[in-house]
Amino acid sequence: MKKTLIAICSLLILAMTMAKPSLANEIKRWKFEKTGLVFWKADTKEKLIALTFDDGPDPLYTTQILNMMKKYDAKGTFFVIGKEAERFPEILKRQTKEGHEIANHTYRHTFRDMKNPDVLKAELRKNSDLIKRITGKAPTLFRPIAGYYDRQIIETSLGSGYYVVLWTWHQDTRDWKKPGAKRIAKTVLFNSKPGDIVILHDAGGDRSQTVKAVEYILEGLYKKGYKCVTVSELLSHSSSVVPVLLLNP
């Protein structure tokens, strides 16, 4: 059923773009949101938010973030790089055991790999096989490197059985710029709305500011009555999500 639905939706995307052979990011975002296959947020009034973390795992920063999430009984989604997961499999095992979601962020995290559909497919497959071998479960969500997408990347992702998850536009923390923990947290807390997907980074450099910001964010969100959940759980509460999303591949 899932393969059939993905094929139909892939044809829908292709039909939307045939009239003008342009990149997907030149097409209005709302067209992709209507397909229910690319997500920036969830359509819900419940006070639910998804914190997502890219580029891990990292033995220092990911572990500290997990400790903080456990303290607040929060769940997150970690878009992991395969070569890092291979180095630190125990972190993925812990993430899974504590109820977090593991998602695909390619194996090598090399931007040029996304430009070749065959290479991207291989990257997704290699990372998925690795994640399944470590955690016992294959990922269903994919985030393109740096959030870049075009028609080819979307179609390749769908054809590989993934839903593409980006982040809510007003929840781009830009924590990689190291603006300070309080500023990172302020971006999330000041703009927080039900259904938001927040992007943070748990690896790829000095993420000590992000770790501290996560503490502020969790404390602030819970004071505002929010619950931090995985992306898949968040989307399960959305009125516009394709139901098959919740099925395992």
Side-chain angles (χ1 to χ4, degrees), residues 49-53 69-70 72-78 95 97-101 218 222 227-231 233:
I49 277 183
L51 300 184
T52 68
F53 301 88
M69 301 282 277
K70 187 174 184 179
Y72 285 89
D73 192 26
K75 307 303 178 187
T77 299
F78 293 82
Q95 289 168 329
K97 183 178 180 180
E98 294 181 0
H100 302 291
E101 182 172 28
L218 291 172
Y222 278 78
K227 181 181 179 181
C228 294
V229 298
T230 66
V231 169
E233 183 176 350

Side-chain angles (χ1 to χ4, degrees), residues 60-120:
L60 177 61
Y61 303 118
T62 306
T63 299
Q64 291 180 47
I65 288 171
L66 289 174
N67 292 341
M68 197 60 57
M69 301 282 277
K70 187 174 184 179
K71 176 181 176 182
Y72 285 89
D73 192 26
K75 307 303 178 187
T77 299
F78 293 82
F79 289 86
V80 305
I81 298 173
K83 64 180 183 179
E84 298 304 320
E86 206 163 37
R87 294 175 63 199
F88 309 110
E90 293 303 319
I91 297 178
L92 266 70
K93 291 179 182 178
R94 177 185 172 183
Q95 289 168 329
T96 302
K97 183 178 180 180
E98 294 181 0
H100 302 291
E101 182 172 28
I102 307 298
N104 203 324
H105 199 43
T106 73
Y107 179 81
R108 296 187 299 186
H109 198 261
T110 302
F111 187 78
R112 67 175 179 272
D113 291 344
M114 295 202 304
K115 297 181 179 181
N116 185 317
D118 291 332
V119 175
L120 178 55

Side-chain angles (χ1 to χ4, degrees), residues 22-35:
S22 58
L23 296 179
N25 53 358
E26 294 174 348
I27 301 170
K28 296 297 183 182
R29 168 184 157 185
W30 65 268
K31 290 188 178 181
F32 280 92
E33 287 182 311
K34 280 190 173 183
T35 68

Side-chain angles (χ1 to χ4, degrees), residues 15 26 37-38 44 46 67 70 96 119 138 156-157 226 236:
E26 294 174 348
L37 297 166
V38 183
T44 180
E46 296 181 64
N67 292 341
K70 187 174 184 179
T96 302
V119 175
T156 301
S157 304
Y226 280 92
S236 73

Side-chain angles (χ1 to χ4, degrees), residues 2-228:
K2 182 174 181 179
K3 290 183 178 179
T4 302
L5 182 57
I6 288 174
I8 293 172
C9 292
S10 183
L11 288 173
L12 174 61
I13 292 176
L14 183 61
M16 289 192 306
T17 57
M18 283 295 286
K20 182 181 178 181
S22 58
L23 296 179
N25 53 358
E26 294 174 348
I27 301 170
K28 296 297 183 182
R29 168 184 157 185
W30 65 268
K31 290 188 178 181
F32 280 92
E33 287 182 311
K34 280 190 173 183
T35 68
L37 297 166
V38 183
F39 301 98
W40 286 264
K41 60 184 180 64
D43 184 13
T44 180
K45 293 182 180 179
E46 296 181 64
K47 298 188 83 172
L48 302 173
I49 277 183
L51 300 184
T52 68
F53 301 88
D54 286 12
D55 301 346
D58 180 271
L60 177 61
Y61 303 118
T62 306
T63 299
Q64 291 180 47
I65 288 171
L66 289 174
N67 292 341
M68 197 60 57
M69 301 282 277
K70 187 174 184 179
K71 176 181 176 182
Y72 285 89
D73 192 26
K75 307 303 178 187
T77 299
F78 293 82
F79 289 86
V80 305
I81 298 173
K83 64 180 183 179
E84 298 304 320
E86 206 163 37
R87 294 175 63 199
F88 309 110
E90 293 303 319
I91 297 178
L92 266 70
K93 291 179 182 178
R94 177 185 172 183
Q95 289 168 329
T96 302
K97 183 178 180 180
E98 294 181 0
H100 302 291
E101 182 172 28
I102 307 298
N104 203 324
H105 199 43
T106 73
Y107 179 81
R108 296 187 299 186
H109 198 261
T110 302
F111 187 78
R112 67 175 179 272
D113 291 344
M114 295 202 304
K115 297 181 179 181
N116 185 317
D118 291 332
V119 175
L120 178 55
K121 285 179 184 177
E123 281 282 299
L124 291 171
R125 187 184 310 112
K126 185 174 183 178
N127 199 16
S128 178
D129 290 346
L130 174 65
I131 291 170
K132 187 173 183 178
R133 190 160 62 247
I134 294 171
T135 69
K137 185 177 180 180
T140 58
L141 307 179
F142 166 60
R143 174 171 286 162
I145 300 170
Y148 175 80
Y149 68 97
D150 59 25
R151 183 179 66 190
Q152 180 174 275
I153 291 171
I154 298 297
E155 291 178 350
T156 301
S157 304
L158 295 178
S160 298
Y162 289 92
Y163 293 86
V164 178
V165 176
L166 298 175
W167 54 85
T168 308
W169 286 15
H170 59 261
Q171 290 293 9
D172 186 353
T173 63
R174 298 181 181 270
D175 60 334
W176 48 273
K177 285 189 173 183
K178 304 177 187 176
K182 290 187 176 180
R183 186 170 179 180
I184 294 169
K186 184 178 179 181
T187 297
V188 178
L189 297 173
F190 181 77
N191 296 310
S192 55
K193 294 180 177 61
D196 280 355
I197 298 174
V198 180
I199 181 172
L200 296 155
H201 294 81
D202 62 329
D206 180 357
R207 302 305 182 200
S208 55
Q209 291 185 8
T210 299
V211 171
K212 189 64 178 177
V214 168
E215 182 176 8
Y216 296 146
I217 289 167
L218 291 172
E219 182 179 359
L221 287 176
Y222 278 78
K223 283 182 178 178
K224 295 174 73 172
Y226 280 92
K227 181 181 179 181
C228 294

